[in-house]
Amino acid sequence: MGNLCPVCRHENRTENRYCTRCGAKLDETKILGPRLVILNGDKKSVVSAYKDGVSTLGRDIENYVVINDNQISKKHAVIYFDKGQYWIEDLNSKNGVFLNGKRIHGRERLFEGSLIKLGSTILRFEGSR
């Protein structure tokens, strides 16, 4: 079963944050699996962090996780699942990827509660247990 809209009762995909029929905000607690919590002030939101093995993050609409931040590259980073673990990798972005306050080079493992900084956006990785 998908994510049921509280307004129009339309069944949406579980990773949807807004109803595809009426546009109402959906219950973010129903996002299953690993997720990213965007922690920037009042813009706090939750997005699924993983789909079909690889999730790209960046400004471009082609990314799985689109972040509207001018300090983020069009294709900034990627999160993927490999050998039972979650990883993040910088895609040669201009401003880099910071994991728990340190700039990463290559790929780094993600753990429950890991803090990721892309541009001026801070995200928390959850649900990896």
Side-chain angles (χ1 to χ4, degrees), residues 17-79:
R17 293 185 348 197
Y18 296 93
C19 179
T20 57
R21 179 181 287 162
C22 73
K25 188 168 181 150
L26 300 174
D27 184 359
E28 294 172 338
T29 62
K30 292 186 179 180
I31 294 176
L32 303 174
R35 57 195 171 270
L36 295 169
V37 179
I38 301 172
L39 299 174
N40 287 30
D42 61 347
K43 297 179 184 177
K44 184 176 177 181
S45 62
V46 179
V47 294
S48 175
Y50 173 75
K51 182 179 180 182
D52 300 330
V54 176
S55 296
T56 56
L57 295 86
R59 267 192 356 257
D60 193 286
I61 196 163
E62 296 296 318
N63 291 293
Y64 182 68
V65 178
V66 178
I67 303 171
N68 188 16
D69 179 337
N70 290 334
Q71 295 179 26
I72 293 178
S73 299
K74 288 182 180 182
K75 293 244 187 244
H76 199 99
V78 62
I79 292 176

Side-chain angles (χ1 to χ4, degrees), residues 2-3 11-17 20 26 51 64:
N3 200 346
E11 187 173 329
N12 293 272
R13 295 186 336 213
T14 54
E15 64 267 16
N16 288 8
R17 293 185 348 197
T20 57
L26 300 174
K51 182 179 180 182
Y64 182 68

Side-chain angles (χ1 to χ4, degrees), residues 61-104:
I61 196 163
E62 296 296 318
N63 291 293
Y64 182 68
V65 178
V66 178
I67 303 171
N68 188 16
D69 179 337
N70 290 334
Q71 295 179 26
I72 293 178
S73 299
K74 288 182 180 182
K75 293 244 187 244
H76 199 99
V78 62
I79 292 176
Y80 58 93
F81 187 74
D82 184 40
K83 297 178 183 162
Q85 301 171 340
Y86 292 95
W87 301 85
I88 187 165
E89 187 172 340
D90 189 343
L91 295 175
N92 297 317
S93 65
K94 182 178 179 183
N95 293 320
V97 174
F98 293 80
L99 181 61
N100 298 319
K102 295 182 181 177
R103 188 170 187 159
I104 68 168

